Amino acid sequence: MSTDAVTDAGADLDAIVVGAGFAGLYMLHRLRGMGLTARVYEAADGVGGTWFWNAYPGARCDIESLEYSYQFDEALQQEWIWTERYAAQPEILAYLEHVADRFDLRRDIRFGARVVSAVFDEGAALWTVALDGGERATARWCVMATGSLSSSNLPAVPGLETFEGLVCHTGRWPRSGVDFSGRRVAVIGTGSSAIQAIPEIARQAARLTVFQRTATYSVPAGNAPLDPEVQRRVKADYRAFRLRNSLMPIGADFDHRDVSALAVPPADRDAEYEARWRRGGACFAAAFNDLVISEEANRTAADFVRAKIRAIVTDPVTAEALSPGHTFGCKRLCLDTGYYETFNRPNVRLVDVNRAPIEAILPEGLKAGGEVHAVDIIVFATGFDALTGALDRIDIRGRGGLRLKDKWAEGARTYLGLQSEGFPNLFTITGPQSPSVFTNMVPSIEQHVDFIADCIAHMRERGFRSVEPHRPAEDAWVEHVGAIAAATLYPTCNSWYLGANIPGKPRVILAHLGFPTYVERCRDVVAKGYEGFTFA
Ligand code: FAD
Ligand code: NAP
């Protein structure tokens, strides 16, 4: 039962949160801190979200550990010691488990609990959430912390069910791990997950065949043990470091240069790229201010990476196949540890599926371009139905029985990526049309959680029972998000940012470009009495 007078008698809880990753854990902590009763439903058997599921070899963050972590609690950020520049999956999972224990969160989390529907009762202004086992609970507020990259994409390859070996997806990695030693392995996909897994698998496997649809731009991560002196310096004034980070999407110490790539002589430009290549990390993309705006500027970065690939990969045919032809950075830039070098190994082979399409999976392997590749293990590194996928998999019904999936059939429609009209009291954390995947996601998550918690506090203080955006505000936001993207090179690629990786998904930009401007806009909305939201 609720502890708060606003919640109607009859509601089981004040708030239900779906998902126990970075977002769900902090949301629960905030709700509890406000004296609300809350429960988290999590499909997995543990906390961690992304870092629970993506336990493939080589998985690690590509934003530096000191930034890819919570800042809401000073003691927490001081006491946790990161061991590597980019923490590996087991370390990030251990961190999130520590957070769950430190703030005593587990007692309000139901594990192994998949939410299948969420239905709004207009009369009572309550959400009823149902689990796959049939259990139900009601609450005033429902927060979807279901993740932007949590709904794995397994392409429908004919014959998959006939395969006699092991099939795994990087985003649903077997808890018991996978032993590749002496095995013949196929990896399908060459995005961020594959880039990390391929060098590790190649070291163990007898043979590795990589099936590539689109070649990838990748720069060295430059991962290394984290220098204790660097960690000490950041922690000495973590607040200032976080503040610097909040003024840009990622990279507090990136040296974001506010100069066009075309404004410097070619030799100086290449020297800049070279310095950043050596330093490692996504700071490469911050070398100039117009790399995702001007095609000509973009080509300078693309040419630099292609030259690196030709210099690293000894077989010219493989080097050519690994060289991307699309716009640099319009698919997420990958950070690797020895990815291109892996193709110099005698046990690794690249298959370009544009020339040799995967026709079928057979009991003994894959058939591509007429050739049968006998393998023991197939790894699908084929990504996610990003941003909308996890929400689409839940039957969410708002006012008048409106289905969220139907409302979003032509593309997501939200206000600030936080709410959608017709779905009162339903919030999404880093949902579609918020900056989410274009940012360091942990600060983005914290900003959303704080916004939602403050909005709920605002409602309780004034006795409101429901909040939702009003249509003109939502329409303007959808247009605004599209217009920003249209002024960049992002629409030029078939990326998951546009939903282009999922057959039949509408091709629209799924996230808002720009974090500081977004935060500013949210502050302004609140200052103007939650402009664009309707309370009742
Ligand atoms: P998630 O961690 O995805 O958690 C969502 C949870 O909701 C999951 O546990 C899921 O099981 C649960 N859930 C979903 N639907 C239901 C349902 N119907 N019922 C019950 N439970 C449900 N971002 C960065 O900023 N930097 C990085 O370096 C970075 N690296 C990444 C590496 C990988 C391999 C991947 C896949 C993503 C990475 N990301 C990175 C993005 C990452 O997803 C976010 O940074 C962050 O972890 C998201 O946290 P979250 O809590 O919002 O979602
Ligand atoms: P992804 O970037 O979507 O890559 C999927 C890969 O599979 C692509 O190469 C894609 O080719 C290919 N593919 C998809 N369907 C295919 C099919 N039917 N046949 C052949 N190939 C197919 O997915 P991801 O690598 O899992 O990464 C998703 C996101 O998660 C990243 O962009 C990043 O945001 C995050 N992530 C981060 C890290 C990190 O370094 N911290 C690691 C992993 C993931 P196309 O390009 O042609 O579609």
Side-chain angles (χ1 to χ4, degrees), residues 18-24 41-44 48-51 53-54 56 60-63 68 113-115 145-150 193 332 384 390 394 430 439-442 445:
V18 188
F22 269 104
Y41 291 115
E42 168 54 63
T50 289
W51 304 103
W53 294 113
N54 291 264
Y56 59 84
R60 60 180 69 250
C61 55
D62 61 359
I63 288 181
Y68 189 68
R114 176 164 294 282
V115 169
T146 43
S148 357
L149 294 160
S150 60
S193 302
R332 184 172 166 116
F384 302 89
I394 303 173
T430 62
T439 67
N440 170 2
M441 285 197 63
V442 183
I445 284 168

Side-chain angles (χ1 to χ4, degrees), residues 149 153 155 213-214 330-331 382-388 411 490-511:
L149 294 160
N153 167 41
R213 186 165 72 182
T214 307
C330 74
K331 290 181 181 238
T382 43
F384 302 89
D385 183 353
L387 286 125
T388 52
Y490 282 101
T492 62
C493 293
N494 287 327
S495 70
W496 59 258
Y497 292 142
L498 296 164
N501 61 329
I502 303 296
K505 191 165 174 174
R507 189 188 173 96
V508 285
I509 192 81
L510 284 160

